[in-house]
Amino acid sequence: MDFSFGHFPVDLILFALVAAFLALRLRSVLGRRVGIQPAPMPVPPRPDAAGKVIDGKAAQPDQAADYDIPTPGTRVGQLLSDIHTQDPTFSPQQFLSGVQTAFRQVVKAFAEGDRTTLQARLTPAVYQSFDAAITARDAAGEKQRTEIRAIRSLGIEDVRLTPLAVGTGASVDVRIVSDQISLVLGSDGQPVSGMDAVTEFSDLWTFERLLGAGGSSWRLASARSA
């Protein structure tokens, strides 16, 4: 029997190896998505930092998560210290605890069409975008199903302070990594978008507050995939 390379189907072996490699790669990423996927929340424009804000903090989040807080020696860490200087009650740890709870409440409220909760958590411009999305969804006879299975981590990505005549506008970007089931069902009860599987989401939410003004606190000013 001749086993020389001239008669052995080397090309078929190479194709088989490539196919096996691609199959393993596909399997490793199947079911994982990054960002707000086919059933997204609306992505509104960022309003002016001087807008009135409502408390975005809550007592205790439902589930613990890893908090990533920049050290004081970094630019973002110094800006967090500047916020604390203007508001001694502020701490990054407490802020992220409030964001964790607000994240659960806003995602749930958007899925259920709970406008009362959304008005309490969002800036006016962002609420208008969410309200329009809910209205369009209702008109189409669609329903959104969203379940947050876990919030894995929250990290402060950036901070911006803007001097204003009435105080200082503070904006804080937070990256939120969570495991969710998110899909939209049509009027016939069949999936229109999304998937009925636990999926990883990575989102960047911006919270804004007017420092130096009594009664002001954090509200969601932007929500986008990251």
XYZ file of all heavy atoms in Angstrom, residues 128-174:
345
model
N -38.694 60.547 28.288
C -39.458 60.701 27.053
C -39.118 59.599 26.053
O -40.002 59.057 25.375
C -39.195 62.080 26.439
C -39.791 63.230 27.235
C -39.484 64.576 26.613
O -38.891 64.667 25.530
N -39.890 65.649 27.282
N -37.834 59.241 25.967
C -37.415 58.184 25.046
C -37.968 56.833 25.481
O -38.460 56.048 24.656
C -35.888 58.126 24.963
O -35.368 59.301 24.404
N -37.897 56.552 26.785
C -38.416 55.293 27.293
C -39.927 55.221 27.104
O -40.477 54.186 26.725
C -38.064 55.150 28.783
C -36.685 54.597 29.028
C -35.558 55.229 28.522
C -36.509 53.455 29.790
C -34.289 54.741 28.756
C -35.246 52.951 30.033
C -34.132 53.592 29.505
N -40.614 56.325 27.375
C -42.060 56.375 27.231
C -42.476 56.118 25.790
O -43.432 55.377 25.525
C -42.575 57.733 27.705
C -44.082 57.884 27.527
O -44.838 57.117 28.157
O -44.495 58.764 26.751
N -41.744 56.710 24.843
C -42.052 56.512 23.427
C -41.845 55.057 23.024
O -42.631 54.494 22.249
C -41.182 57.427 22.563
N -40.793 54.435 23.541
C -40.525 53.033 23.215
C -41.616 52.122 23.770
O -42.048 51.171 23.107
C -39.166 52.624 23.764
N -42.085 52.408 24.981
C -43.159 51.607 25.574
C -44.453 51.777 24.781
O -45.180 50.811 24.519
C -43.366 52.002 27.051
C -42.143 51.599 27.880
C -44.618 51.342 27.620
C -42.169 52.134 29.303
N -44.738 53.016 24.389
C -45.940 53.285 23.602
C -45.916 52.526 22.279
O -46.920 51.927 21.857
C -46.084 54.796 23.343
O -46.193 55.491 24.596
C -47.308 55.095 22.495
N -44.767 52.546 21.599
C -44.644 51.843 20.321
C -44.786 50.335 20.520
O -45.405 49.646 19.696
C -43.299 52.172 19.676
N -44.228 49.826 21.592
C -44.320 48.393 21.879
C -45.766 47.986 22.139
O -46.246 46.964 21.635
C -43.442 48.063 23.096
C -43.257 46.580 23.384
C -42.295 46.411 24.538
N -42.858 46.938 25.778
C -42.121 47.295 26.836
N -40.804 47.212 26.787
N -42.712 47.750 27.927
N -46.485 48.799 22.916
C -47.892 48.509 23.204
C -48.736 48.564 21.934
O -49.640 47.736 21.730
C -48.432 49.492 24.240
C -47.824 49.285 25.625
O -47.222 48.210 25.849
O -47.951 50.195 26.466
N -48.458 49.540 21.077
C -49.224 49.685 19.838
C -49.045 48.472 18.930
O -49.958 48.102 18.182
C -48.808 50.958 19.109
N -47.879 47.849 18.997
C -47.601 46.672 18.173
C -48.119 45.389 18.814
O -48.007 44.311 18.222
C -46.100 46.558 17.913
N -48.667 45.515 20.026
C -49.166 44.340 20.718
C -48.066 43.436 21.230
O -48.280 42.239 21.445
N -46.882 44.010 21.438
C -45.730 43.223 21.883
C -45.536 43.350 23.387
O -45.958 44.335 24.003
C -44.468 43.682 21.154
C -44.529 43.485 19.648
C -43.331 44.057 18.933
O -42.596 44.867 19.546
O -43.129 43.720 17.754
N -44.892 42.357 23.945
C -44.541 42.369 25.358
C -43.076 42.010 25.494
O -42.556 41.181 24.744
C -45.404 41.376 26.151
C -46.886 41.730 26.194
C -47.654 40.768 27.081
C -49.141 41.125 27.113
N -49.368 42.478 27.686
N -42.433 42.654 26.463
C -41.024 42.350 26.696
C -40.870 41.530 27.964
O -41.466 41.842 28.999
C -40.187 43.633 26.813
C -38.708 43.339 27.041
C -37.816 44.479 26.624
O -38.200 45.312 25.806
N -36.606 44.515 27.168
N -40.076 40.492 27.871
C -39.759 39.662 29.023
C -38.290 39.845 29.353
O -37.418 39.593 28.523
C -40.043 38.193 28.737
C -39.635 37.259 29.871
C -39.675 35.809 29.453
N -38.996 34.961 30.422
C -38.544 33.753 30.161
N -38.685 33.244 28.944
N -37.939 33.044 31.095
N -38.003 40.318 30.552
C -36.626 40.520 30.979
C -36.449 40.001 32.396
O -37.233 40.359 33.283
C -36.229 42.012 30.937
O -36.412 42.514 29.610
C -34.775 42.205 31.338
N -35.448 39.180 32.586
C -35.110 38.658 33.910
C -33.621 38.885 34.153
O -32.794 38.409 33.385
C -35.416 37.164 34.019
C -36.857 36.781 33.800
C -37.050 35.276 33.838
O -36.181 34.591 34.428
O -38.045 34.783 33.275
N -33.303 39.627 35.203
C -31.898 39.793 35.581
C -31.535 38.638 36.505
O -32.007 38.570 37.630
C -31.652 41.150 36.270
C -31.988 42.300 35.316
C -30.203 41.253 36.738
C -31.811 43.669 35.930
N -30.699 37.745 36.030
C -30.302 36.594 36.822
C -29.153 36.925 37.774
O -29.051 36.358 38.862
C -29.899 35.440 35.901
C -31.054 34.881 35.082
C -32.129 34.309 35.991
N -33.243 33.733 35.248
C -33.278 32.483 34.802
N -32.238 31.677 34.996
N -34.329 32.052 34.158
N -28.275 37.833 37.355
C -27.150 38.218 38.209
C -26.545 39.513 37.700
O -26.547 39.780 36.498
C -26.083 37.125 38.233
N -26.066 40.333 38.626
C -25.259 41.499 38.277
C -23.837 41.158 38.709
O -23.546 41.041 39.902
C -25.761 42.775 38.976
C -27.184 43.089 38.517
C -24.833 43.951 38.658
C -27.786 44.317 39.174
N -22.980 40.974 37.746
C -21.631 40.486 38.036
C -20.696 41.580 38.538
O -19.931 41.376 39.477
C -21.041 39.827 36.788
C -21.798 38.570 36.352
C -21.088 37.883 35.205
N -21.745 36.616 34.874
C -21.506 35.484 35.495
N -20.623 35.466 36.492
N -22.133 34.374 35.146
N -20.743 42.736 37.898
C -19.798 43.787 38.288
C -20.330 45.156 37.905
O -21.127 45.298 36.972
C -18.431 43.567 37.627
O -18.537 43.677 36.213
N -19.892 46.163 38.657
C -20.157 47.559 38.354
C -18.838 48.312 38.512
O -18.159 48.168 39.534
C -21.209 48.160 39.290
C -22.610 47.523 39.271
C -22.727 46.511 40.404
C -23.690 48.587 39.430
N -18.501 49.088 37.515
C -17.242 49.825 37.570
C -17.411 51.254 37.120
O -18.074 51.531 36.113
N -16.830 52.181 37.871
C -16.877 53.602 37.501
C -15.851 53.841 36.406
O -14.651 53.659 36.617
C -16.615 54.499 38.716
C -17.732 54.306 39.757
C -16.523 55.968 38.289
C -17.528 55.102 41.035
N -16.330 54.226 35.217
C -15.464 54.397 34.052
C -14.948 55.829 33.908
O -13.804 56.042 33.536
C -16.229 54.005 32.787
C -16.615 52.549 32.730
C -15.475 51.671 32.269
O -14.932 51.910 31.179
O -15.109 50.745 33.021
N -15.816 56.793 34.177
C -15.406 58.184 33.976
C -16.284 59.097 34.816
O -17.411 58.731 35.194
C -15.502 58.571 32.503
C -14.697 59.821 32.168
O -13.925 60.282 33.045
O -14.838 60.340 31.039
N -15.763 60.291 35.102
C -16.476 61.314 35.866
C -16.239 62.652 35.188
O -15.122 62.951 34.756
C -15.991 61.376 37.332
C -16.674 62.524 38.072
C -16.251 60.054 38.040
N -17.286 63.448 35.083
C -17.168 64.792 34.523
C -17.851 65.782 35.461
O -18.992 65.532 35.888
C -17.815 64.853 33.131
C -17.101 64.014 32.087
C -17.900 63.911 30.798
N -19.181 63.245 31.015
C -19.324 61.930 31.124
N -18.272 61.132 31.063
N -20.519 61.391 31.307
N -17.167 66.875 35.746
C -17.714 67.939 36.584
C -17.786 69.208 35.760
O -16.791 69.638 35.166
C -16.853 68.151 37.834
C -16.743 66.960 38.795
C -15.833 67.303 39.978
C -18.118 66.538 39.289
N -18.985 69.818 35.727
C -19.194 71.014 34.914
C -19.667 72.166 35.801
O -20.754 72.095 36.385
C -20.257 70.749 33.828
O -19.868 69.607 33.055
C -20.411 71.948 32.921
N -18.858 73.230 35.933
C -19.292 74.391 36.724
C -20.514 75.055 36.094
O -20.554 75.314 34.897
C -18.071 75.325 36.682
C -16.915 74.441 36.312
C -17.497 73.396 35.407
N -21.528 75.295 36.914
C -22.753 75.935 36.460
C -23.107 77.079 37.403
O -22.591 77.152 38.519
C -23.906 74.921 36.417
C -23.688 73.684 35.542
C -24.755 72.647 35.835
C -23.690 74.064 34.073
N -23.978 77.956 36.952
C -24.364 79.102 37.767
C -25.067 78.665 39.047
O -24.996 79.351 40.073
C -25.253 80.044 36.964
N -25.751 77.527 39.001
C -26.531 77.069 40.155
C -25.830 75.959 40.945
O -26.400 75.401 41.873
C -27.914 76.564 39.697
C -28.745 77.715 39.173
C -27.763 75.478 38.639
N -24.613 75.626 40.572
C -23.879 74.572 41.265
C -22.919 73.893 40.313
O -22.439 74.506 39.354
N -22.632 72.624 40.573
C -21.732 71.847 39.724
C -22.467 70.633 39.179
O -23.019 69.841 39.944
C -20.490 71.383 40.510
O -19.783 72.523 40.996
C -19.567 70.562 39.623
N -22.478 70.502 37.865
C -23.093 69.332 37.249
C -22.124 68.158 37.277
O -20.994 68.276 36.803
N -22.529 67.052 37.859
C -21.683 65.866 37.965
C -22.270 64.744 37.109
O -23.465 64.448 37.197
C -21.569 65.411 39.412
N -21.423 64.117 36.286
C -21.821 62.973 35.475
C -20.871 61.819 35.770
O -19.653 62.005 35.758
C -21.766 63.300 33.978
O -22.615 64.380 33.652
N -21.430 60.646 36.030
C -20.624 59.472 36.333
C -21.035 58.337 35.411
O -22.208 57.953 35.373
C -20.781 59.036 37.807
C -19.901 57.825 38.102
C -20.438 60.181 38.756
N -20.064 57.798 34.660
C -20.307 56.660 33.782
C -20.006 55.370 34.540
O -18.937 55.227 35.140
C -19.405 56.719 32.549
C -19.712 57.909 31.658
O -20.826 58.452 31.757
O -18.821 58.294 30.866
N -20.941 54.429 34.481
C -20.786 53.146 35.175
C -20.986 52.005 34.190
O -22.015 51.939 33.514
C -21.799 53.003 36.337
C -21.594 51.668 37.053
C -21.673 54.163 37.312
